Amino acid sequence: MSVADGFDPDGVKCVVWDLDGTLWDEIAVESPTDDLPAPRPATLAAIDDLAARGVLSSIASRSAPSVLDRLDAVPGLRARFLAPQVSWQDKSESLRRIAEELGIAVEALVLVDDSPYERAEVEALLPGVRTLDPADVPALLAAFEGREITPESRARVGRYRTEETRRAEGARFRGSREEFLRWCDMRLTVGAATADELPRALELAARTHRLNSSGLTPDRLRELAAADGHELYTARMTDRFGDYGIIGAALVDRGPDTPGVRDGAGTASATWAVPLLALSCRVAGRGAAAAFLFRLMERAREAGAEEFRVTLRPTDANLEMRILLRQAGLRRTDAAVPGPADASGAPVARTAPAEAAVLGRTLGGDVPGPPAWLHVSDREDTEA
């Protein structure tokens, strides 16, 4: 698939590079010495340009595994690649492993390979993966021109490297998974988004799929976040290995009244509605998504809300989010999908992505708490 064929750079999280004929001109296993072939300067520049935009790079090469050992001996080159795969296995299998190790959907990968056969094999077995000839790389870079680069984007590659360290420590840890998570000393802070956090929230809306409740577009999120009665919340996380940055965003619709909204008869309904809940896939499996959701529910109750609702648009990718919402006690309601009010405060027609539904629950009784290994606080408290 060429860059011109419906290419969406927002969906690209990692570019996977072939080695022989792509990263360098020669065939590494045929080298008379242990030195690797010299990488093409333009390709290295492209990898660095992508990294500055928050796009990861990896390797999928059908070659002797010893080539990866030789790559490890060149730290400046090896550091550019995450979860590299060098073996005689099919490229499609290598891409599956890369996606699994990085914790991203395989459809978020792009393969750059000089071999038409290898590209065809991947397209046949992984039809959601785009494949490019090395000659298409300039067009790939051009597709990202004009896209806003957030601080989170610039830090993304470094954070994935930290994740490699975290994963390695987990493999060496002597104890249960929960004991390891406790040892990590994970801390989540939740608070109202500041103006400089809005670009990251828009990025989460566009780039996350596994932990995205509604698929709200960035433009629609920006519009709703500026509407009366709405507030955007973000979640940050750290652990003993470093700072994850902003890993979650949630848009809350409290309507024209505070804390609740009013129905057409003017009766206070005291409802917090969440048109979008989105979290980075980097925190999947650590309880952060549940902790963020539960803290929003607690804040809603503290503000006087009696009901909590989330807009859900089921997709093939967001099963994890659907399970989370069900575990939190949210069930389908007949309520209208959340949206803004007009200038007078009267409700207006509310729109949502196709097949969207509203899940809700009352806030009476117990609200689930965060996992025992995750410390949760409000950002306002930590900054006081």
Side-chain angles (χ1 to χ4, degrees):
M1 181 183 295
S2 72
V3 177
D5 293 333
F7 186 84
D8 176 16
D10 284 336
V12 178
K13 295 185 178 181
C14 180
V15 176
V16 181
W17 304 84
D18 175 46
L19 293 180
D20 302 332
T22 299
L23 182 62
W24 46 60
D25 294 324
E26 295 85 0
I27 299 175
V29 295
E30 296 180 357
S31 174
T33 70
D34 286 338
D35 294 335
L36 291 173
R40 295 170 177 171
T43 303
L44 291 183
I47 291 168
D48 293 342
D49 184 272
L50 290 167
R53 299 175 181 279
V55 180
L56 314 177
S57 283
S58 186
I59 289 170
S61 176
R62 279 169 53 86
S63 187
S66 60
V67 172
L68 184 56
D69 296 331
R70 292 158 65 186
L71 187 66
D72 288 338
V74 188
L77 183 59
R78 171 65 178 84
R80 287 178 163 92
F81 303 105
L82 294 153
Q85 303 292 315
V86 181
S87 71
W88 297 114
Q89 66 187 353
D90 290 339
K91 285 283 176 75
S92 57
E93 183 58 31
S94 291
L95 265 61
R96 288 191 184 96
R97 292 191 178 187
I98 290 168
E100 181 180 2
E101 288 192 26
L102 295 179
I104 62 179
V106 72
E107 292 80 10
L109 303 177
V110 170
L111 173 67
V112 180
D113 198 308
D114 68 304
S115 168
Y117 169 82
E118 301 291 3
R119 298 198 302 271
E121 189 267 338
V122 168
E123 290 171 1
L125 296 181
L126 301 175
V129 174
R130 286 150 290 195
T131 68
L132 303 176
D133 184 89
D136 294 324
V137 170
L140 171 68
L141 298 178
F144 287 93
E145 289 296 328
R147 302 273 168 166
E148 183 172 11
I149 302 176
T150 67
E152 295 290 330
S153 297
R154 286 190 287 270
R156 183 172 294 120
V157 174
R159 286 180 173 144
Y160 269 89
R161 291 196 188 106
T162 301
E163 181 60 25
E164 283 191 325
T165 302
R166 192 178 282 116
R167 186 166 53 248
E169 288 293 331
R172 287 192 292 266
F173 188 81
R174 302 291 184 180
S176 68
R177 171 69 173 169
E178 182 170 340
E179 288 170 336
F180 173 70
L181 292 173
R182 286 179 182 272
W183 178 78
C184 286
D185 190 27
M186 290 187 291
R187 297 178 178 271
L188 187 80
T189 59
V190 177
T194 59
D196 63 342
E197 292 176 339
L198 177 60
R200 171 56 176 164
L202 300 176
E203 187 177 49
L204 284 167
R207 291 174 60 89
T208 62
H209 303 286
R210 288 173 58 188
L211 292 169
N212 189 315
S213 68
S214 67
L216 205 65
T217 66
D219 286 344
R220 184 62 171 150
L221 174 59
R222 188 191 299 273
E223 176 188 350
L224 289 174
D228 290 343
H230 290 69
E231 191 163 21
L232 186 65
Y233 287 87
T234 56
R236 292 177 173 268
M237 196 162 90
T238 64
D239 67 10
R240 67 167 58 246
F241 298 99
D243 184 2
Y244 289 80
I246 298 172
I247 53 86
L251 179 68
V252 171
D253 175 6
R254 295 188 292 187
D257 296 305
T258 302
V261 298
R262 292 184 179 273
D263 60 23
T267 302
S269 59
T271 297
W272 269 30
V274 179
L276 173 74
L277 177 66
L279 291 103
S280 168
C281 59
R282 288 187 292 119
V283 298
R286 289 163 211 187
F292 186 26
L293 174 62
F294 299 159
R295 185 63 198 122
L296 290 173
M297 293 167 65
E298 283 286 359
R299 289 185 75 130
R301 185 160 64 176
E302 291 165 4
E306 299 169 0
E307 187 171 3
F308 188 87
R309 296 173 179 169
V310 176
T311 301
L312 173 68
R313 179 175 180 262
T315 69
D316 291 339
N318 69 359
L319 176 61
E320 197 170 345
M321 174 62 74
R322 285 182 274 157
I323 292 173
L324 170 61
L325 296 177
R326 186 165 187 85
Q327 290 175 338
L330 282 86
R331 300 293 184 268
R332 184 162 185 153
T333 74
D334 294 329
V337 173
D342 64 21
S344 68
V348 298
R350 298 179 174 222
T351 60
E355 301 177 2
V358 175
L359 308 185
R361 59 157 288 169
T362 66
L363 293 173
D366 293 333
V367 170
W373 59 80
L374 186 55
H375 176 77
V376 181
S377 62
D378 291 325
R379 199 169 306 142
E380 298 86 345
D381 295 336
T382 61
E383 295 174 352

